[in-house]
Amino acid sequence: AAPAPRPSACARRAAPAGPLPAALFAYDPRQPLALRDSAPRVVEGVTVRPVSFASPKGGRVTGLLYVPPDSAQRGPDGRFAGMVMLHGAPGNAAGVEFAVLPATRAGAVVLSVDAPFARRDARTPLRFTPQDSADLVQYVVDLRRAVDVLAARADVDPARLGSMGISFGGSVGALLAGVEPRLRV
């Protein structure tokens, strides 16, 4: 006789049937951005502005906007590429400056936004609760809105938009790439 199966140390749940509906990450892009910025500072020749904009899911998205120096590489039309930067967990928009500054000096306007958990309490980012699921949807929608912010800038070429994520941000970036058709890289 075969030995009895051992109980699993972690209970597994059945995977949801089918992919997540894209409508889960939909929003009305015609709503005003309500972009606000604060006094800039200059770091290694890059202008850094604290910014916030309206979230389609409620509240305000906070982050940092990095603008290249005039000497940075521009496209043939004289505009810069645009990039949304996603931070890890725990973390926040300021924590990825080590990756943002080289991209900005190379010619990308970069918008690094705080994930919903970072706006609430960056020390406890994920607890695997229903709130985490809602935060993930909000984060992806907020990131799509960040693409709107970049595309609305006169110095950004809307045909050269991309995203980059560090750690947890890389995972969320895969979701973002799956629902945001304007991203090219």
Side-chain angles (χ1 to χ4, degrees), residues 39-143:
R41 62 186 169 93
V42 177
V43 178
E44 298 178 23
V46 172
T47 302
V48 183
R49 292 186 171 277
V51 297
S52 70
F53 54 91
S55 170
K57 296 283 188 182
R60 296 197 59 80
V61 180
T62 56
L64 297 168
L65 180 71
Y66 296 80
V67 180
D70 285 335
S71 62
Q73 180 179 344
R74 295 175 186 256
D77 62 359
R79 295 186 287 178
F80 296 113
M83 181 191 315
V84 177
M85 175 62 78
L86 293 72
H87 63 79
N92 60 25
V96 290
E97 195 166 89
F98 71 93
V100 172
L101 289 175
T104 307
R105 284 193 306 271
V109 174
V110 180
L111 180 53
S112 178
V113 301
D114 292 315
F117 67 76
R119 299 189 301 250
R120 185 177 54 249
D121 180 5
R123 293 168 296 166
T124 55
L126 304 169
R127 296 173 305 264
F128 303 101
T129 66
Q131 180 63 51
D132 291 336
S133 295
D135 281 354
L136 184 58
V137 171
Q138 175 159 2
Y139 193 24
V140 172
V141 172
D142 291 347
L143 291 166

Side-chain angles (χ1 to χ4, degrees), residues 26-33 56 145 148 182:
Y27 70 102
D28 183 356
R30 298 169 298 183
Q31 292 297 318
L33 291 170
R145 200 62 170 151
D148 293 340
R182 295 172 292 176

